[in-house]
């Protein structure tokens, strides 16, 4: 069984969830893959001490949303007690508000280089550095040390390149498309379990097996792009569509979704180009005509838009 953990390494519940998953798995030998999630996308490039960060009203408000009914200080005490109960020790608590992008790059590169076992070791050491040692994991010097101590010396050198950057950013979009909204979220197939649930809950979830639907990778990527459009992220959809546009530019479905993404990101000239070719290739496509008409109208070409809008309404009355 392959288990994905979508989590942020600066999320305390991710480390707690890791321990609980390990208890639920025992020695089952399941493959565990770490996927990136960001709980604090606005974290500064230069880490700041957490005491300073907590004085920021926006950070304080976000922390209060995470634990309704508790002050941030009360929630920190609560999490520290839970972490101790999970065997993470009494010396607990991040010292820095740190960005996690490079740490996620390191995790991704570790899996590419050495598989799930190496990635899991890197994840353990990154979170230990952040929550127990009080290190700044946004500092590449810290991450280089983590990589070397994890047996991934190659990763130390890769951190100063852009290796893994595109892949991590794409995975963040895929997580968004799949509806991942909590760190950690355990995913098996098409099923998801949000939060650092107790081991017995995780075990029950895993007992359900992998009931994911088999589909070609290209189809899955297209569905993710559509999901991002539904979530009002047309630029993200275009990122996921790029390999499809490069390799399957003649596919009508790819062109339809790409045209929608261009339209909703106000790239109207590109939308028009795609839609004009689409209408020429599929003249009975009412939705393509509707989109072309709307695109031309937004471009100020009302006379050219009218015939397409009229024909779309005739073919599909709900488009009127």
């Amino acid at each position: 069984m392959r288990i994905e953990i979508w989590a942020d390494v600066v999320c305390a519940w991710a480390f707690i969830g890791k321990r609980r998953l390990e208890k639920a798995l025992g020695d089952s030998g399941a493959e565990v893959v770490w996927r990136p999630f960001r709980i604090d996308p606005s974290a500064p490039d230069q880490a700041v001490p957490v005491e300073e960060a907590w004085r920021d009203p926006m950070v304080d408000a976000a922390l209060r949303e995470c634990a309704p009914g508790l002050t941030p200080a009360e929630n920190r005490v609560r999490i520290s007690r839970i972490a101790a109960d999970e065997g993470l020790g009494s010396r607990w608590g991040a010292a820095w508000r740190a960005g996690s992008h490079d740490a996620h790059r390191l995790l991704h590169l570790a899996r590419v280089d050495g598989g799930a076992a190496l990635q899991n070791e890197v994840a353990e050491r990154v979170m230990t550095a952040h929550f127990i040692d009080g290190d700044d994991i946004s500092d590449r010097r810290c991450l280089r040390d983590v990589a070397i101590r994890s047996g991934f010396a190659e990763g130390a050198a890769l951190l100063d390149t852009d290796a893994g950057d595109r892949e991590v950013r794409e995975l963040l979009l895929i997580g968004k498309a799949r509806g991942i909204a909590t760190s950690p979220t355990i995913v098996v197939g098409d099923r998801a379990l949000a939060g650092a649930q107790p081991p017995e809950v995780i075990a029950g979830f895993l007992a359900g097996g992998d009931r994911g639907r088999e589909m070609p990778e290209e189809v899955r990527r297209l569905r993710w792009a559509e999901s991002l459009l539904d979530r009002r992220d047309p630029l993200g959809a275009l990122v996921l569509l790029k390999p499809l546009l490069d390799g399957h530019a003649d596919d009508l479905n790819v062109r339809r979704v790409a045209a929608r993404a261009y339209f909703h990101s106000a790239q109207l000239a590109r939308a028009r180009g795609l839609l004009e070719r689409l209408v020429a290739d599929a003249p009975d496509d009412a939705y393509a005509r509707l989109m072309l008409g709307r695109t031309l109208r937004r471009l100020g070409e009302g006379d050219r838009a009218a015939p397409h809008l009229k024909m779309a309404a005739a073919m599909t009355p709900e488009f009127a």
Side-chain angles (χ1 to χ4, degrees):
M1 178 187 295
R2 176 166 145 174
I3 301 164
E4 294 181 338
I5 307 177
W6 294 79
D8 198 341
V9 291
V10 296
C11 171
W13 291 109
F15 208 177
I16 292 167
K18 183 176 187 293
R19 285 292 181 272
R20 291 178 172 179
L21 175 61
E22 288 165 350
K23 291 177 182 176
L25 286 173
D27 55 1
S28 68
E31 179 189 23
V32 177
V33 176
W34 288 81
R35 300 297 195 195
F37 184 81
R38 296 291 298 278
I39 61 168
D40 189 7
S42 63
D45 292 336
Q46 183 71 40
V48 297
V50 289
E51 293 86 354
E52 179 181 333
W54 291 333
R55 292 194 291 270
D56 184 326
M58 292 183 64
V59 173
D60 182 77
L63 291 172
R64 289 178 185 276
E65 280 188 23
C66 289
L70 296 176
T71 68
E74 291 169 337
N75 191 43
R76 288 194 295 276
V77 171
R78 167 176 166 260
I79 293 176
S80 294
R81 289 173 178 167
I82 294 171
D85 290 343
E86 295 298 335
L88 292 170
S90 57
R91 183 185 172 189
W92 171 270
W96 300 90
R97 183 190 181 200
S100 57
H101 183 73
D102 278 344
H104 287 303
R105 283 204 303 130
L106 185 62
L107 262 68
H108 173 77
L109 293 168
R111 180 170 181 267
V112 170
D113 185 85
L118 178 60
Q119 187 189 46
N120 191 62
E121 178 66 17
V122 172
E124 176 76 20
R125 290 185 181 273
V126 166
M127 288 188 283
T128 296
H130 183 66
F131 288 107
I132 297 174
D133 298 338
D135 293 336
D136 172 12
I137 64 165
S138 68
D139 188 330
R140 289 182 182 176
R141 291 171 297 182
C142 170
L143 291 177
R144 287 189 199 102
D145 183 59
V146 165
I148 291 168
R149 287 188 288 114
S150 301
F152 184 34
E154 298 86 348
L158 289 171
L159 285 168
D160 286 330
T161 72
D162 64 354
D165 182 78
R166 178 184 60 80
E167 292 85 351
V168 167
R169 295 184 189 279
E170 186 174 275
L171 282 166
L172 288 168
L173 289 172
I174 290 171
K176 181 178 181 180
R178 295 180 68 172
I180 305 298
T182 300
S183 173
T185 296
I186 297 173
V187 174
V188 178
D190 291 330
R191 300 184 305 119
L193 178 68
Q197 301 293 341
E200 59 272 18
V201 174
I202 296 174
F205 170 76
L206 297 178
D210 180 353
R211 299 198 296 271
R213 293 170 295 169
E214 290 294 330
M215 65 176 68
E217 177 61 27
E218 294 82 2
V219 175
R220 195 178 296 275
R221 181 175 284 269
L222 188 65
R223 296 290 177 265
W224 288 334
E226 290 175 324
S227 175
L228 288 179
L229 280 172
D230 293 341
R231 296 171 191 276
R232 300 183 179 182
D233 186 358
L235 293 176
L238 286 168
V239 171
L240 297 188
L241 282 170
K242 186 178 185 307
L244 300 181
L245 288 169
D246 291 343
H248 303 275
D250 293 333
D251 186 276
L252 297 181
N253 290 318
V254 170
R255 285 191 277 168
R256 286 188 190 100
V257 177
R260 285 179 59 201
Y262 284 133
F263 178 84
H264 289 295
S265 60
Q267 298 182 65
L268 300 180
R270 290 183 173 181
R272 177 174 61 184
L274 269 182
L275 289 164
E276 285 176 341
R277 293 194 299 274
L278 188 56
V279 166
D281 292 342
D284 59 343
D285 189 331
Y287 184 72
R289 287 192 178 275
L290 175 70
M291 288 295 297
L292 178 56
R294 288 178 174 177
T295 300
L296 291 168
R297 189 167 59 190
R298 284 184 62 180
L299 285 167
E301 300 181 33
D303 290 342
R304 292 190 60 200
H308 294 293
L309 293 172
K310 184 176 180 180
M311 189 170 294
M315 289 189 286
T316 305
E318 63 196 70
F319 289 163

